[in-house]
Amino acid sequence: MSGLEAKKILLGVTGGIAAYKSAVLLRELQRSGASVRVVMTAAAQAFIAPLTFQALTGHAVSTELLDPDQESSMSHIELARWADLILVAPASADFMARLACGLANDLLSTLCLATQAPIKLAAAMNQHMWFNPATRENCRRLEVRGVEIWGPDAGLQACGEVGPGRMLEPEDLLQKVVSLYADRPLQGVRVLMTAGPTREPIDPVRFIGNRSSGHMGYALAQVLCELGAEICLVSGPVVLPTPVGVERVDVETATQMQGAVMARVETCDIFIGVAAVADYRPLAPAPQKIKKTSASVNLELVANPDILAEVAALEQGPFTVGFAAETEGLEAYAEAKRISKGVDLIAANHVGSEKGGFESDENALLLLWDGGREALPMMSKIKLAEQLGAVITKRYRTVRG
Ligand code: C5P
Protein backbone atom coordinates (compact mmCIF):
# COMPACT_ATOMS: atom_id res chain seq x y z
CA MET A 1 0.00 0.00 0.00
CA SER A 2 1.47 3.37 -0.91
CA GLY A 3 -1.40 5.60 0.09
CA LEU A 4 -2.71 6.82 -3.27
CA GLU A 5 -5.01 3.89 -4.07
CA ALA A 6 -8.36 5.14 -5.40
CA LYS A 7 -7.15 8.74 -5.44
CA LYS A 8 -8.10 10.71 -8.54
CA ILE A 9 -5.46 13.24 -9.47
CA LEU A 10 -5.76 15.80 -12.20
CA LEU A 11 -2.24 16.62 -13.39
CA GLY A 12 -2.04 20.06 -14.99
CA VAL A 13 0.97 20.72 -17.19
CA THR A 14 1.88 24.30 -18.12
CA GLY A 15 4.59 25.72 -20.37
CA GLY A 16 8.06 25.26 -18.92
CA ILE A 17 11.08 23.11 -19.67
CA ALA A 18 10.36 21.05 -16.54
CA ALA A 19 7.30 19.70 -18.42
CA TYR A 20 9.46 16.79 -19.60
CA LYS A 21 9.63 15.63 -15.97
CA SER A 22 5.83 15.60 -15.71
CA ALA A 23 5.71 12.30 -17.60
CA VAL A 24 7.92 10.73 -14.91
CA LEU A 25 5.74 12.29 -12.20
CA LEU A 26 2.66 10.82 -13.88
CA ARG A 27 4.25 7.34 -13.81
CA GLU A 28 5.21 7.74 -10.15
CA LEU A 29 1.66 8.76 -9.23
CA GLN A 30 0.23 5.81 -11.15
CA ARG A 31 2.72 3.41 -9.58
CA SER A 32 1.51 4.60 -6.18
CA GLY A 33 -2.03 3.64 -7.11
CA ALA A 34 -3.50 6.97 -8.24
CA SER A 35 -5.77 7.37 -11.21
CA VAL A 36 -4.46 10.32 -13.22
CA ARG A 37 -5.93 12.52 -15.97
CA VAL A 38 -3.83 15.15 -17.70
CA VAL A 39 -4.78 18.65 -18.79
CA MET A 40 -2.23 20.70 -20.73
CA THR A 41 -2.07 24.38 -21.54
CA ALA A 42 -1.23 25.49 -25.08
CA ALA A 43 2.29 26.50 -23.99
CA ALA A 44 2.92 23.08 -22.41
CA GLN A 45 2.35 21.44 -25.77
CA ALA A 46 5.36 23.31 -27.14
CA PHE A 47 7.54 21.36 -24.68
CA ILE A 48 5.98 17.88 -24.65
CA ALA A 49 3.34 16.24 -26.84
CA PRO A 50 -0.12 15.33 -25.47
CA LEU A 51 0.39 11.92 -27.03
CA THR A 52 3.05 11.10 -24.42
CA PHE A 53 0.54 11.55 -21.60
CA GLN A 54 -2.24 9.89 -23.59
CA ALA A 55 -0.10 6.78 -24.07
CA LEU A 56 0.78 6.71 -20.36
CA THR A 57 -2.73 7.29 -19.01
CA GLY A 58 -4.77 5.53 -21.68
CA HIS A 59 -7.01 8.62 -21.80
CA ALA A 60 -7.16 11.51 -24.21
CA VAL A 61 -5.39 14.55 -22.84
CA SER A 62 -7.67 17.54 -22.42
CA THR A 63 -6.28 20.72 -23.87
CA GLU A 64 -9.23 22.84 -25.07
CA LEU A 65 -12.00 24.63 -23.24
CA LEU A 66 -14.33 25.26 -26.13
CA ASP A 67 -13.82 22.10 -28.19
CA PRO A 68 -17.17 20.20 -28.48
CA ASP A 69 -15.36 16.85 -29.04
CA GLN A 70 -13.28 17.16 -25.89
CA GLU A 71 -16.25 18.43 -23.87
CA SER A 72 -18.30 15.41 -24.90
CA SER A 73 -15.73 12.93 -23.49
CA MET A 74 -15.58 14.65 -20.06
CA SER A 75 -16.76 18.22 -19.70
CA HIS A 76 -14.67 20.72 -17.80
CA ILE A 77 -17.18 20.71 -14.94
CA GLU A 78 -17.13 16.90 -14.77
CA LEU A 79 -13.32 16.94 -14.73
CA ALA A 80 -13.35 19.55 -11.97
CA ARG A 81 -15.74 17.35 -9.94
CA TRP A 82 -13.82 14.15 -10.73
CA ALA A 83 -10.54 15.28 -9.19
CA ASP A 84 -9.63 14.64 -5.53
CA LEU A 85 -6.58 16.80 -6.11
CA ILE A 86 -5.31 19.16 -8.79
CA LEU A 87 -1.54 19.16 -9.09
CA VAL A 88 -0.07 21.60 -11.60
CA ALA A 89 3.50 20.58 -12.41
CA PRO A 90 5.24 22.55 -13.69
CA ALA A 91 3.33 25.68 -12.73
CA SER A 92 4.73 28.58 -14.76
CA ALA A 93 4.82 32.23 -13.64
CA ASP A 94 2.14 32.98 -16.24
CA PHE A 95 -0.16 30.26 -14.96
CA MET A 96 0.26 31.37 -11.37
CA ALA A 97 -0.54 34.95 -12.40
CA ARG A 98 -3.70 33.85 -14.20
CA LEU A 99 -4.77 31.73 -11.24
CA ALA A 100 -4.09 34.60 -8.82
CA CYS A 101 -6.36 36.82 -10.94
CA GLY A 102 -9.09 34.18 -11.11
CA LEU A 103 -8.94 34.05 -14.91
CA ALA A 104 -10.70 31.24 -16.73
CA ASN A 105 -9.24 31.77 -20.17
CA ASP A 106 -8.18 28.19 -20.86
CA LEU A 107 -9.21 24.72 -19.74
CA LEU A 108 -6.76 24.35 -16.85
CA SER A 109 -7.44 27.76 -15.27
CA THR A 110 -11.19 27.15 -15.66
CA LEU A 111 -10.89 23.78 -13.92
CA CYS A 112 -8.98 25.38 -11.06
CA LEU A 113 -11.75 27.94 -10.67
CA ALA A 114 -14.51 25.33 -10.84
CA THR A 115 -13.04 22.65 -8.59
CA GLN A 116 -13.68 22.03 -4.90
CA ALA A 117 -10.51 19.92 -4.71
CA PRO A 118 -7.27 21.18 -3.16
CA ILE A 119 -4.85 22.76 -5.64
CA LYS A 120 -1.07 22.32 -5.41
CA LEU A 121 1.37 24.13 -7.67
CA ALA A 122 4.90 22.84 -8.36
CA ALA A 123 6.47 26.19 -9.24
CA ALA A 124 9.13 26.27 -11.96
CA MET A 125 10.61 29.34 -13.56
CA ASN A 126 13.75 31.43 -13.97
CA GLN A 127 14.97 32.71 -10.59
CA HIS A 128 14.43 36.38 -11.50
CA MET A 129 10.84 35.61 -12.45
CA TRP A 130 10.43 33.82 -9.09
CA PHE A 131 11.81 36.80 -7.17
CA ASN A 132 9.92 39.40 -9.22
CA PRO A 133 7.57 41.36 -6.94
CA ALA A 134 4.66 40.48 -9.25
CA THR A 135 5.26 36.75 -8.74
CA ARG A 136 5.82 37.26 -5.00
CA GLU A 137 2.48 39.06 -4.80
CA ASN A 138 0.73 36.34 -6.84
CA CYS A 139 2.14 33.64 -4.54
CA ARG A 140 0.86 35.50 -1.48
CA ARG A 141 -2.60 35.86 -2.99
CA LEU A 142 -2.74 32.20 -3.91
CA GLU A 143 -1.51 31.02 -0.51
CA VAL A 144 -4.07 33.16 1.30
CA ARG A 145 -6.71 31.33 -0.73
CA GLY A 146 -5.31 27.96 0.32
CA VAL A 147 -3.46 27.14 -2.91
CA GLU A 148 -0.23 25.52 -1.81
CA ILE A 149 2.98 26.21 -3.70
CA TRP A 150 5.52 23.40 -3.67
CA GLY A 151 9.12 24.41 -4.26
CA PRO A 152 10.80 25.62 -6.27
CA ASP A 153 14.07 23.94 -5.51
CA ALA A 154 17.34 25.85 -5.79
CA GLY A 155 20.19 24.81 -8.06
CA LEU A 156 21.28 24.91 -11.67
CA GLN A 157 18.45 26.04 -13.95
CA ALA A 158 17.87 25.11 -17.59
CA CYS A 159 18.65 28.76 -18.50
CA GLY A 160 22.15 28.30 -17.04
CA GLU A 161 21.53 30.40 -13.92
CA VAL A 162 21.87 29.07 -10.40
CA GLY A 163 19.18 29.85 -7.84
CA PRO A 164 15.64 29.01 -6.82
CA GLY A 165 13.33 28.11 -9.71
CA ARG A 166 13.81 24.42 -10.49
CA MET A 167 10.69 22.28 -10.24
CA LEU A 168 10.95 19.80 -7.36
CA GLU A 169 11.99 16.37 -8.63
CA PRO A 170 9.13 13.96 -9.46
CA GLU A 171 9.93 11.72 -6.48
CA ASP A 172 9.84 14.74 -4.12
CA LEU A 173 6.47 15.78 -5.54
CA LEU A 174 5.21 12.22 -5.15
CA GLN A 175 6.27 12.26 -1.49
CA LYS A 176 4.34 15.47 -0.98
CA VAL A 177 1.21 14.02 -2.56
CA VAL A 178 1.54 10.82 -0.51
CA SER A 179 2.02 12.83 2.69
CA LEU A 180 -1.27 14.65 2.04
CA TYR A 181 -3.06 11.38 2.64
CA ALA A 182 -0.63 9.79 5.07
CA ASP A 183 -0.85 9.56 8.82
CA ARG A 184 0.31 12.71 10.55
CA PRO A 185 2.55 11.41 13.32
CA LEU A 186 3.23 14.91 14.69
CA GLN A 187 -0.41 16.03 14.73
CA GLY A 188 -0.87 18.40 17.66
CA VAL A 189 2.87 18.64 18.41
CA ARG A 190 4.18 22.22 18.72
CA VAL A 191 7.66 22.77 17.30
CA LEU A 192 9.74 25.89 17.86
CA MET A 193 12.72 26.24 15.54
CA THR A 194 15.54 28.66 14.76
CA ALA A 195 17.07 28.91 11.28
CA GLY A 196 19.40 31.03 9.18
CA PRO A 197 22.30 33.22 10.29
CA THR A 198 22.38 36.03 12.83
CA ARG A 199 23.80 39.50 12.21
CA GLU A 200 25.69 41.24 14.98
CA PRO A 201 26.02 44.99 14.38
CA ILE A 202 29.44 46.65 14.35
CA ASP A 203 27.97 50.04 13.49
CA PRO A 204 24.68 51.10 11.80
CA VAL A 205 25.79 49.74 8.39
CA ARG A 206 28.11 46.81 9.15
CA PHE A 207 27.65 43.51 10.90
CA ILE A 208 29.33 40.21 11.71
CA GLY A 209 27.43 37.48 9.87
CA ASN A 210 27.99 33.99 8.54
CA ARG A 211 27.31 31.87 5.45
CA SER A 212 24.18 30.06 6.65
CA SER A 213 21.51 30.12 3.88
CA GLY A 214 18.65 28.84 6.05
CA HIS A 215 17.87 26.07 3.52
CA MET A 216 18.23 23.20 5.97
CA GLY A 217 16.05 24.82 8.65
CA TYR A 218 13.39 25.89 6.17
CA ALA A 219 13.27 22.45 4.53
CA LEU A 220 12.97 20.82 7.96
CA ALA A 221 10.19 23.24 8.98
CA GLN A 222 8.25 22.29 5.86
CA VAL A 223 8.73 18.55 6.42
CA LEU A 224 7.64 18.71 10.07
CA CYS A 225 4.62 20.79 9.07
CA GLU A 226 3.66 18.09 6.55
CA LEU A 227 3.98 15.52 9.37
CA GLY A 228 1.27 17.46 11.18
CA ALA A 229 3.32 19.64 13.58
CA GLU A 230 2.49 23.27 14.37
CA ILE A 231 5.65 25.18 13.53
CA CYS A 232 6.97 28.51 14.73
CA LEU A 233 10.17 29.40 12.91
CA VAL A 234 12.37 32.11 14.42
CA SER A 235 14.47 33.13 11.46
CA GLY A 236 17.59 35.18 10.89
CA PRO A 237 17.84 37.12 7.59
CA VAL A 238 17.45 34.75 4.62
CA VAL A 239 16.07 35.03 1.08
CA LEU A 240 13.67 32.11 1.30
CA PRO A 241 9.87 31.95 1.08
CA THR A 242 8.11 30.97 4.30
CA PRO A 243 6.89 27.36 4.03
CA VAL A 244 3.09 27.19 3.79
CA GLY A 245 1.43 26.72 7.18
CA VAL A 246 4.53 27.84 9.12
CA GLU A 247 4.47 30.86 11.45
CA ARG A 248 7.64 32.90 10.93
CA VAL A 249 9.18 35.41 13.34
CA ASP A 250 12.00 37.49 11.80
CA VAL A 251 14.97 38.52 13.93
CA GLU A 252 18.49 39.76 13.22
CA THR A 253 20.73 39.35 16.23
CA ALA A 254 21.38 36.41 18.56
CA THR A 255 19.93 38.41 21.45
CA GLN A 256 16.72 39.04 19.50
CA MET A 257 16.62 35.34 18.57
CA GLN A 258 17.02 34.39 22.22
CA GLY A 259 14.19 36.78 23.18
CA ALA A 260 11.86 35.40 20.51
CA VAL A 261 12.63 31.80 21.52
CA MET A 262 12.35 32.28 25.28
CA ALA A 263 9.02 34.10 24.85
CA ARG A 264 7.59 31.02 23.11
CA VAL A 265 9.45 28.06 24.56
CA GLU A 266 6.99 27.30 27.35
CA THR A 267 4.31 26.32 24.89
CA CYS A 268 6.39 24.07 22.65
CA ASP A 269 6.97 20.32 22.74
CA ILE A 270 10.08 20.22 20.55
CA PHE A 271 12.80 22.85 20.13
CA ILE A 272 15.16 22.59 17.15
CA GLY A 273 18.12 24.94 16.90
CA VAL A 274 19.18 24.97 13.26
CA ALA A 275 20.31 28.60 13.21
CA ALA A 276 23.99 29.42 12.86
CA VAL A 277 24.01 31.76 15.82
CA ALA A 278 27.04 34.05 16.10
CA ASP A 279 29.08 33.00 19.12
CA TYR A 280 30.24 36.58 19.77
CA ARG A 281 28.91 40.08 19.19
CA PRO A 282 30.62 43.47 19.32
CA LEU A 283 30.43 44.70 22.91
CA ALA A 284 29.50 48.23 21.96
CA PRO A 285 28.33 48.77 18.38
CA ALA A 286 29.35 52.26 17.23
CA PRO A 287 26.36 54.63 17.12
CA GLN A 288 27.65 56.16 13.84
CA LYS A 289 29.42 54.64 10.84
CA ILE A 290 33.06 53.96 11.76
CA LYS A 291 35.33 56.23 9.70
CA LYS A 292 38.46 55.06 7.88
CA THR A 293 40.75 57.27 9.95
CA SER A 294 43.19 54.79 11.52
CA ALA A 295 45.31 51.94 10.15
CA SER A 296 43.66 49.36 12.40
CA VAL A 297 40.50 48.99 14.43
CA ASN A 298 39.98 46.80 17.47
CA LEU A 299 36.59 45.26 18.04
CA GLU A 300 35.87 43.94 21.50
CA LEU A 301 33.57 40.94 21.30
CA VAL A 302 31.44 39.41 24.02
CA ALA A 303 29.89 35.94 24.05
CA ASN A 304 26.29 35.61 22.89
CA PRO A 305 23.79 33.56 24.89
CA ASP A 306 23.69 29.90 23.86
CA ILE A 307 20.00 29.59 23.04
CA LEU A 308 20.01 25.83 22.57
CA ALA A 309 21.82 25.16 25.86
CA GLU A 310 19.47 27.55 27.66
CA VAL A 311 16.40 25.76 26.32
CA ALA A 312 17.89 22.32 27.05
CA ALA A 313 18.56 23.36 30.66
CA LEU A 314 14.93 24.29 31.33
CA GLU A 315 13.15 22.14 33.87
CA GLN A 316 10.34 20.32 32.07
CA GLY A 317 11.58 21.87 28.84
CA PRO A 318 10.88 20.56 25.35
CA PHE A 319 12.59 17.70 23.52
CA THR A 320 15.67 19.42 22.09
CA VAL A 321 17.48 18.97 18.80
CA GLY A 322 20.73 20.77 17.96
CA PHE A 323 23.08 20.98 15.03
CA ALA A 324 26.85 20.80 15.08
CA ALA A 325 28.85 22.11 12.13
CA GLU A 326 32.43 20.89 12.44
CA THR A 327 35.50 21.09 10.23
CA GLU A 328 37.24 18.10 11.86
CA GLY A 329 36.70 15.31 14.40
CA LEU A 330 32.98 15.32 13.56
CA GLU A 331 31.67 12.54 15.80
CA ALA A 332 33.82 13.29 18.86
CA TYR A 333 33.07 17.03 18.83
CA ALA A 334 29.37 16.50 18.14
CA GLU A 335 29.06 13.93 20.92
CA ALA A 336 30.82 16.29 23.34
CA LYS A 337 28.44 19.07 22.28
CA ARG A 338 25.40 16.84 22.76
CA ILE A 339 26.45 16.08 26.31
CA SER A 340 27.66 19.57 27.30
CA LYS A 341 24.54 21.29 25.95
CA GLY A 342 22.28 18.54 27.28
CA VAL A 343 20.32 18.05 24.04
CA ASP A 344 18.28 14.97 23.19
CA LEU A 345 19.48 14.67 19.58
CA ILE A 346 22.33 16.28 17.67
CA ALA A 347 22.69 16.46 13.90
CA ALA A 348 26.32 16.86 12.94
CA ASN A 349 27.68 17.89 9.57
CA HIS A 350 31.04 18.55 8.04
CA VAL A 351 31.60 22.12 6.90
CA GLY A 352 34.47 23.73 5.11
CA SER A 353 34.98 20.79 2.74
CA GLU A 354 34.19 20.78 -0.99
CA LYS A 355 30.70 19.31 -0.78
CA GLY A 356 27.80 19.97 1.53
CA GLY A 357 27.48 22.51 4.32
CA PHE A 358 26.21 26.04 4.59
CA GLU A 359 25.82 27.34 1.03
CA SER A 360 25.41 24.02 -0.75
CA ASP A 361 22.12 22.42 -1.86
CA GLU A 362 23.36 19.10 -0.51
CA ASN A 363 24.45 17.86 2.85
CA ALA A 364 25.11 14.72 4.90
CA LEU A 365 24.36 14.32 8.59
CA LEU A 366 25.45 12.15 11.46
CA LEU A 367 22.68 11.89 14.06
CA LEU A 368 23.65 11.13 17.65
CA TRP A 369 21.50 10.53 20.69
CA ASP A 370 21.99 8.86 24.06
CA GLY A 371 22.81 5.29 23.13
CA GLY A 372 22.31 5.55 19.37
CA ARG A 373 23.54 6.94 16.08
CA GLU A 374 22.44 7.06 12.43
CA ALA A 375 24.39 8.34 9.43
CA LEU A 376 22.41 10.04 6.65
CA PRO A 377 24.56 10.10 3.48
CA MET A 378 25.08 13.08 1.12
CA MET A 379 21.74 14.03 -0.53
CA SER A 380 19.69 17.14 -1.31
CA LYS A 381 18.74 19.21 1.74
CA ILE A 382 15.07 18.54 0.97
CA LYS A 383 15.53 14.75 1.08
CA LEU A 384 17.78 15.06 4.08
CA ALA A 385 15.12 17.09 5.89
CA GLU A 386 12.60 14.29 5.21
CA GLN A 387 14.88 11.65 6.71
CA LEU A 388 15.83 13.87 9.63
CA GLY A 389 12.14 14.64 10.23
CA ALA A 390 11.44 10.91 10.44
CA VAL A 391 14.24 10.36 12.99
CA ILE A 392 13.16 13.36 15.10
CA THR A 393 9.59 12.02 15.12
CA LYS A 394 10.77 8.57 16.18
CA ARG A 395 13.12 9.83 18.90
CA TYR A 396 10.53 12.29 20.23
CA ARG A 397 7.90 9.56 20.44
CA THR A 398 10.38 7.17 22.09
CA VAL A 399 11.51 9.67 24.71
CA ARG A 400 8.27 11.61 25.32
CA GLY A 401 5.63 9.11 24.24
O1 C5P B 1 28.20 25.52 19.93
P1 C5P B 1 27.78 25.48 18.51
O2 C5P B 1 27.56 26.85 17.91
O3 C5P B 1 28.61 24.62 17.62
O4 C5P B 1 26.33 24.75 18.57
C1 C5P B 1 25.51 24.63 17.47
C2 C5P B 1 24.10 24.39 17.93
O5 C5P B 1 23.76 25.28 19.00
C3 C5P B 1 23.09 24.71 16.85
O6 C5P B 1 21.96 23.88 17.07
C4 C5P B 1 22.77 26.17 17.08
O7 C5P B 1 21.50 26.52 16.57
C5 C5P B 1 22.82 26.25 18.59
N1 C5P B 1 23.31 27.55 19.11
C6 C5P B 1 22.47 28.39 19.80
N2 C5P B 1 22.93 29.56 20.33
C7 C5P B 1 24.21 29.91 20.19
C8 C5P B 1 25.09 29.08 19.48
C9 C5P B 1 24.62 27.91 18.95
O8 C5P B 1 21.28 28.06 19.94
N3 C5P B 1 24.64 31.04 20.69
Side-chain angles (χ1 to χ4, degrees), residues 194 254 271-279 304-309 321-326 337 341 346:
T194 64
F271 173 76
I272 311 176
V274 196
V277 185
D279 291 326
N304 268 328
D306 190 315
I307 305 166
L308 178 62
V321 181
F323 276 69
E326 306 292 348
K337 204 165 283 184
K341 296 202 188 207
I346 199 141

Side-chain angles (χ1 to χ4, degrees), residues 240-319:
L240 293 173
T242 310
V244 177
V246 167
E247 181 198 348
R248 171 168 160 181
V249 178
D250 286 311
V251 295
E252 270 204 27
T253 65
T255 317
Q256 289 168 358
M257 189 172 269
Q258 178 200 28
V261 166
M262 297 318 287
R264 293 165 177 81
V265 74
E266 261 183 38
T267 52
C268 79
D269 304 297
I270 300 179
F271 173 76
I272 311 176
V274 196
V277 185
D279 291 326
Y280 294 94
R281 67 175 184 277
L283 172 65
Q288 304 300 333
K289 188 178 169 197
I290 297 171
K291 297 284 178 227
K292 207 170 32 177
T293 46
S294 48
S296 67
V297 173
N298 285 321
L299 271 182
E300 189 175 351
L301 303 177
V302 285
N304 268 328
D306 190 315
I307 305 166
L308 178 62
E310 194 174 336
V311 172
L314 290 172
E315 261 182 54
Q316 298 183 329
F319 179 86

